[in-house]
Amino acid sequence: MTHYSGYDRFNIAVDCIIFGFDNEGLKLLLLKRSFEPAKGKWSLMGGFLKEEESLDDAAARVLENLTGLQNVYMEQLAAFGDVGRDPGDRVISAAYFALINIDDSDRALVEKHNAHWVLFKEVPDLIFDHNAMVIRALKRLRRKAATEPIGFNLLPEKFTLTQLQRMYEAVFQHELDKRNFRKKILQMNVLEKLEEKDKESSKRGAYLYCFNEQKYHDLISEGSTFGI
Amino acid sequence: MTHYSGYDRFNIAVDCIIFGFDNEGLKLLLLKRSFEPAKGKWSLMGGFLKEEESLDDAAARVLENLTGLQNVYMEQLAAFGDVGRDPGDRVISAAYFALINIDDSDRALVEKHNAHWVLFKEVPDLIFDHNAMVIRALKRLRRKAATEPIGFNLLPEKFTLTQLQRMYEAVFQHELDKRNFRKKILQMNVLEKLEEKDKESSKRGAYLYCFNEQKYHDLISEGSTFGI
DNA sequence: AAATAGAGTGTAAACATAACACTTAAATTC
DNA sequence: GAATTTAAGTGTTATGTTTACACTCTATTT
């Protein structure tokens, strides 16, 4: 028994803008739609909300279905509710964006869904209002990555300062000065310098670092803020 | 005929966080709920989405019902979708915030809805997750007001620099330096200084200004940004 | 032993932000 | 009509932040 009988009811979808990063740059996980309408067209991963789950839960479920990953950094972007946005039927979509480390995702599962990592700069025409969602997600990512330590979610647990810098350069789409970048990130004192070195990308080897949640909280509680 | 039969369908609400400003400070337009559940409790103004309207249209309709105002600055905050958020039934709510000039609102209409302007600092316990919406709305307002010229929507067309400063102080909840504030806002060259003076608040009188959209666009196109 | 390739490091100039106090104009009061 | 009141209006200096910039180091490969 409901208190709100007599009002229109709607299908609700969640769509996921899934960001990844590797040497080539910032990428999105997109798929070719396997059902009508718009079968065969490029699309974001999506799914319909179920009665017993929250929007956040639905987004996490949809993301896990595609990538096999749990406990991923996700954030709701906005709800998209234009009348004609989905020609299949009236659907309100809550768009979420996720930041993942590409290497963590389940390759087999991704392939099974006919999904592909596409360089952000090369994102094709997507169905419905998905391109608009993607553009807004990037804006949000840029703003948040500049003021909160969320970019680390795009990297492996351990990373070099050069990798970290490349990640931010890919997100902001402009180059950063190496010395200024290192000064800034190290002065905030949120990174832990490890004994280990990464030998992949240079002969000399570069020290590995990891983000330290505790140090970040200390920074905040002394009244400072994170900022790149 | 739908392509998406078999999926759960939901009631969708829009809830409006309506900001206003006057000499006393930043205020919210809240109402005492006139229907079950939670009848008599403080609440945001809300309404249910209709089949033939977009989310944005629904929010504008709900706001107009309460205030009589059209073409108001409104922005979607987020969709709130926790399972138990509304004990009346499962409802997904898209929260919108609006910035209006209190004096423009239709007093009779506001009273008819049993709505009241409440100082932000004195906002009572609200139903459901409405307090959470309000807190997020203020955060968003603060961030956006600091980087985009949206604060003017809280003021009358013509305003003095002191009024403008008071408005920003109310939004940010901290005092600003008069000389620095004036230097900054005038240097951006987005205000038009009028011949008229306001004689209400001082014996000497203070020049009135208005925000000039064209000047703002010029500022942006020369690569600068708005910022307080 | 020489060459290579990326890692790692400091300073100075330019710019932006923050702190600060008195004079002016008009109305009101005595 | 002189004195008082009230908010409006106005610049400069110190401090902090951001930007620009080039060479040495280390380990591997040739």
Side-chain angles (χ1 to χ4, degrees), chain A residues 57-93:
Chain A
D57 290 345
R61 167 175 59 80
V62 166
L63 182 81
E64 187 182 353
N65 282 347
L66 178 55
T67 63
L69 296 172
Q70 293 184 320
N71 299 319
V72 169
Y73 181 86
M74 287 192 93
E75 192 177 322
Q76 192 197 110
L77 192 60
F80 290 72
D82 283 355
V83 174
R85 57 170 293 281
D86 183 334
D89 195 2
R90 182 76 201 274
V91 178
I92 308 301
S93 173

Side-chain angles (χ1 to χ4, degrees), chain B residues 177-180 183-184 197 199 202-205:
Chain B
D177 179 274
K178 181 161 65 159
R179 281 178 286 189
N180 292 339
K183 213 184 312 167
K184 200 162 196 177
K197 283 190 172 186
K199 298 274 193 171
S202 87
K203 292 162 182 174
R204 176 179 178 176

Side-chain angles (χ1 to χ4, degrees), chain B:
Chain B
M1 155 81 203
T2 166
H3 283 85
Y4 311 128
S5 55
Y7 295 107
D8 296 330
R9 293 167 79 88
F10 302 84
N11 280 128
I12 297 183
V14 293
D15 286 306
C16 295
I17 298 108
I18 306 169
F19 288 101
F21 169 76
D22 65 17
N23 304 335
E24 298 174 76
L26 188 67
K27 294 183 175 179
L28 281 187
L29 188 50
L30 299 175
L31 42 79
K32 290 221 164 172
R33 209 165 139 102
S34 57
F35 52 92
E36 293 296 347
K39 188 170 170 181
K41 299 269 176 65
W42 284 103
S43 159
L44 295 171
M45 179 69 178
F48 286 98
L49 180 67
K50 297 178 182 177
E51 190 64 41
E52 70 277 9
E53 66 187 355
S54 69
L55 284 173
D56 291 359
D57 289 345
R61 168 175 58 81
V62 165
L63 182 81
E64 188 182 353
N65 282 348
L66 178 57
T67 63
L69 296 172
Q70 293 184 321
N71 300 318
V72 170
Y73 180 85
M74 285 193 96
E75 193 177 322
Q76 192 197 113
L77 193 60
F80 289 73
D82 282 355
V83 173
R85 57 170 294 281
D86 184 333
D89 196 1
R90 182 77 200 274
V91 178
I92 308 301
S93 172
Y96 280 76
F97 77 94
L99 305 181
I100 76 174
N101 174 19
I102 292 180
D103 294 331
D104 289 346
S105 64
D106 183 329
R107 289 175 164 281
L109 209 49
V110 165
E111 274 183 36
K112 202 189 90 187
H113 283 85
N114 203 16
H116 303 270
W117 286 102
V118 179
L119 271 174
F120 193 90
K121 296 175 218 166
E122 297 169 4
V123 167
D125 277 351
L126 305 174
I127 60 167
F128 311 165
D129 48 5
H130 287 194
N131 286 100
M133 292 178 180
V134 163
I135 289 166
R136 282 185 58 180
L138 180 66
K139 260 194 190 164
R140 181 87 140 253
L141 171 59
R142 281 184 177 165
R143 184 175 52 70
K144 285 217 116 173
T147 55
E148 290 176 43
I150 64 170
F152 301 105
N153 294 292
L154 290 167
L155 295 174
E157 195 74 9
K158 301 170 182 179
F159 48 82
T160 67
L161 294 182
T162 300
Q163 278 177 281
L164 187 63
Q165 184 181 339
R166 297 283 172 268
M167 181 274 291
Y168 280 113
E169 288 173 336
V171 169
F172 300 143
Q173 284 295 295
H174 63 77
E175 301 203 340
L176 299 170
D177 179 274
K178 181 161 65 159
R179 281 178 286 189
N180 292 339
F181 175 78
R182 285 169 182 239
K183 213 184 312 167
K184 200 162 196 177
I185 197 87
L186 292 175
Q187 269 174 6
M188 283 188 289
N189 193 34
V190 296
L191 298 187
E192 195 174 323
K193 186 177 185 172
L194 306 175
E195 306 284 299
E196 276 175 276
K197 283 190 172 186
D198 169 82
K199 298 274 193 171
E200 302 276 300
S201 58
S202 87
K203 292 162 182 174
R204 176 179 178 176
Y207 279 104
L208 287 165
Y209 289 77
C210 66
F211 174 68
N212 185 312
E213 198 79 35
Q214 181 56 50
K215 288 184 166 202
Y216 172 62
H217 287 305
D218 294 349
L219 179 82
I220 297 305
S221 56
E222 81 189 16
S224 305
T225 54
F226 182 91
I228 298 296

